[in-house]
């Protein structure tokens, strides 16, 4: 197969679904880690095509959703400064902090700009030497390479007015936290294909073995997702605890080694808070001491931050596969994409946004 349309062929997808129906004998709970996969599943109705024995639950792989509230509030404080041009991917602008978002900072006169790459932010810094330019460097392993590249480039070019506000998180520690929780329901995982394209999947076999949970590296088109579910279901039914690659056209076991080396040069592992979930030890990346000059948190003293999360929001439970968006009393009423109470209603990868966009207002 060469073309994306073939991965959206309804007949081929139906064939894989029929095979899942044929082999399944009991109830299984499978988590898709990535919010991009959640959107594809809901958009194409894949969960509704599956036999009732397979329940899909949605994972924490939505970078915008898990960026801690404290850091969003820090971003808002930094972006409000008159000497700062604050740059970010577009998704972050509508994410609610404790009372406002980056859009409202822009509306009150803050210089907040959307960029498609952090390298554009470095260019903005070069063009505006009298301003401090900050890039909101959030995300999982997928966005780490361009973010570290921007820091390396700024260092190489001597761009001293560029810094990054880092909130990088990593998938394996989050899976460890989910699987190690007494309330865990997840029995199999669809791994995020784009994360594995960068990192490979060599980190996952020890996790699979430790918790007795099979996993499949999975892509993003309907056929990829159906294939990933079939791979995990087959392993569950056969009692095999393996990590299999259902996305071989993009992912190799080792991943992109030069990218991994570059990440390792600039970032080191650190503890990270996940919005709605809490602190997970060694679950993130932060700048190494030799790149501390590019750390926006050190460059700007924003005083003490008092956070204020909506008491109605159950996004943390949704991100751990313990609840679905329509279990939230605010879903579609007090909380909508126009007036979001939580980040999962804003992000293009958020489960609440997917359920809202594709009309999943009722419990299926
Ligand atoms: S619907 Fe809104 S308030 Fe409820 S969990 Fe989702 S983001 Fe939070």
């Amino acid at each position: 197969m060469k073309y994306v349309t073939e991965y959206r062929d309804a007949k081929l997808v139906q064939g894989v679904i029929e095979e899942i129906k044929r082999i399944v004998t009991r109830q299984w709970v499978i988590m898709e880690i990535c919010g991009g996969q959640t959107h594809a599943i809901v958009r194409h109705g894949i969960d509704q095509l599956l036999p009732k024995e397979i329940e899909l639950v949605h994972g924490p792989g939505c970078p915008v959703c898990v960026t801690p509230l404290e850091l969003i509030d820090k971003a808002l404080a930094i972006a409000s400064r008159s000497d700062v041009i604050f740059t970010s991917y577009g998704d972050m602008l509508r994410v609610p902090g404790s009372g406002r978002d980056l859009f409202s900072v822009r509306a009150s006169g803050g210089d907040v700009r959307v960029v498609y790459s952090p390298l554009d932010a470095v260019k903005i810094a070069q063009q505006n030497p009298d301003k401090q330019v900050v890039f909101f460097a959030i995300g999982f392993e997928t966005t780490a390479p361009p973010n570290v590249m921007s820091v390396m480039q700024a260092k190489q070019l001597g761009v001293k007015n560029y810094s990054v506000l880092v909130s990088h998180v990593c998938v394996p520690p989050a899976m460890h936290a989910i699987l190690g929780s007494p309330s865990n329901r997840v029995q199999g995982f669809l791994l995020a294909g784009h994360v594995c394209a960068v990192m490979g999947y060599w980190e996952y076999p020890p996790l699979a073995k430790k918790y007795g949970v099979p996993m499949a590296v999975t892509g993003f088109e309907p056929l990829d997702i159906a294939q990933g579910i079939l791979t995990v279901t087959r392993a569950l039914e056969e009692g095999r605890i393996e990590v299999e690659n259902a996305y071989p056209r993009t992912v190799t076991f080792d991943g992109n080694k030069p990218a991994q080396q570059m990440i390792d040069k600039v970032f080191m592992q650190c503890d990270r808070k996940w919005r709605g979930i809490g602190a997970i030890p060694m679950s993130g990346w932060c700048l190494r001491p030799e790149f501390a000059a590019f750390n926006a948190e050190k460059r700007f003293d924003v005083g003490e931050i008092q956070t204020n999360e909506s008491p109605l929001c159950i996004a943390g439970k949704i991100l751990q596969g313990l609840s679905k968006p329509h279990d939230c009393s605010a879903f579609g009423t007090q909380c909508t994409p126009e007036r979001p109470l939580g980040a999962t209603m804003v992000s293009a990868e958020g489960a609440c946004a997917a359920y809202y966009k594709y009309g999943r207002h009722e419990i299926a």
Side-chain angles (χ1 to χ4, degrees):
M1 283 192 200
K2 289 185 196 140
Y3 305 108
V4 164
T5 46
E6 294 172 274
Y7 293 93
R8 295 177 184 169
D9 184 311
K11 268 199 193 136
L12 293 177
V13 175
Q14 196 58 51
V16 178
I17 300 284
E18 289 308 318
E19 181 60 9
I20 295 170
K21 286 181 183 164
R22 193 185 68 75
I23 64 168
V24 74
T25 61
R26 50 163 288 193
Q27 205 72 33
W28 298 111
V29 178
I30 299 173
M31 173 179 274
E32 81 279 358
I33 274 286
C34 170
Q37 288 168 337
T38 304
H39 270 251
I41 287 165
V42 179
R43 177 179 174 206
H44 296 288
I46 294 170
D47 52 335
Q48 294 173 326
L49 294 173
L50 289 169
K52 61 178 184 342
E53 288 89 347
I54 305 288
E55 183 188 353
L56 295 181
V57 292
H58 318 308
C62 161
V64 169
C65 306
V66 298
T67 300
L69 191 53
E70 291 86 340
L71 211 84
I72 292 170
D73 287 347
K74 265 186 197 169
L76 295 167
I78 294 171
S80 303
R81 292 172 58 122
S82 57
D83 59 339
V84 165
I85 300 174
F86 195 88
T87 60
S88 168
Y89 295 127
D91 255 19
M92 285 309 289
L93 266 64
R94 292 185 50 243
V95 174
S98 303
R100 57 188 184 143
D101 57 24
L102 284 166
F103 262 131
S104 40
V105 171
R106 184 153 87 177
S108 352
D111 194 344
V112 179
R113 303 185 192 182
V114 172
V115 289
Y116 293 102
S117 158
L119 298 180
D120 293 341
V122 177
K123 267 188 216 145
I124 294 172
Q126 286 176 301
Q127 291 156 359
N128 295 273
D130 54 332
K131 292 272 188 180
Q132 287 291 327
V133 175
V134 182
F135 178 70
F136 205 174
I138 69 145
F140 280 83
E141 293 91 331
T142 338
T143 50
N147 292 350
V148 299
M149 206 190 279
S150 76
V151 173
M152 287 169 89
Q153 197 182 68
K155 190 172 186 179
Q156 208 173 32
L157 298 173
V159 183
K160 293 205 163 44
N161 60 329
Y162 178 71
S163 60
V164 282
L165 184 60
V166 180
S167 181
H168 262 287
V169 282
C170 303
V171 171
M175 289 171 67
H176 181 79
I178 290 168
L179 290 168
S181 159
S183 51
N184 172 51
R185 299 177 62 227
V186 180
Q187 295 161 296
F189 274 101
L190 306 184
L191 299 176
H194 51 3
V195 168
C196 296
V198 177
M199 300 303 293
Y201 57 99
W202 50 269
E203 295 174 280
Y204 297 96
L207 257 180
K209 202 169 159 200
K210 179 169 181 183
Y211 294 103
V213 171
M215 306 174 185
V217 179
T218 302
F220 298 87
E221 296 299 333
L223 189 57
D224 292 320
I225 290 168
Q227 199 64 48
I229 298 167
L230 173 61
T231 305
V232 171
T233 306
R234 196 177 272 143
L236 284 165
E237 289 286 338
E238 293 172 3
R240 282 184 294 109
I241 307 304
E242 288 175 14
V243 180
E244 296 174 81
N245 187 2
Y247 196 32
R249 71 180 187 280
T250 304
V251 173
T252 61
F253 184 73
D254 288 335
N256 183 337
K257 285 285 178 196
Q260 291 168 32
Q261 285 156 5
M262 200 167 68
I263 293 167
D264 195 44
K265 222 177 221 176
V266 177
F267 283 158
M268 60 184 195
Q269 274 194 311
C270 60
D271 297 343
R272 215 23 112 198
K273 243 185 172 179
W274 296 53
R275 187 170 189 173
I277 298 176
I280 303 179
M282 302 307 262
S283 65
W285 281 324
C286 46
L287 289 165
R288 287 190 177 278
E290 50 272 41
F291 292 94
F294 296 93
N295 187 346
E297 281 194 86
K298 289 212 159 74
R299 195 172 290 194
F300 303 98
D301 179 10
V302 293
E304 205 174 311
I305 299 277
Q306 293 290 340
T307 58
N308 182 19
E309 189 78 83
S310 164
L312 297 173
C313 187
I314 61 161
K317 279 184 159 182
I318 295 168
L319 293 165
Q320 294 172 81
L322 302 173
S323 296
K324 297 272 173 75
H326 42 43
D327 296 327
C328 174
S329 62
F331 178 79
T333 53
Q334 292 111 305
C335 182
T336 62
E338 290 74 35
R339 290 182 180 276
L341 293 180
T344 44
M345 186 55 99
V346 177
S347 169
E349 295 182 297
C352 298
Y355 274 55
Y356 189 90
K357 185 170 180 186
Y358 299 111
R360 300 289 184 86
H361 293 250
E362 303 295 330
I363 296 170

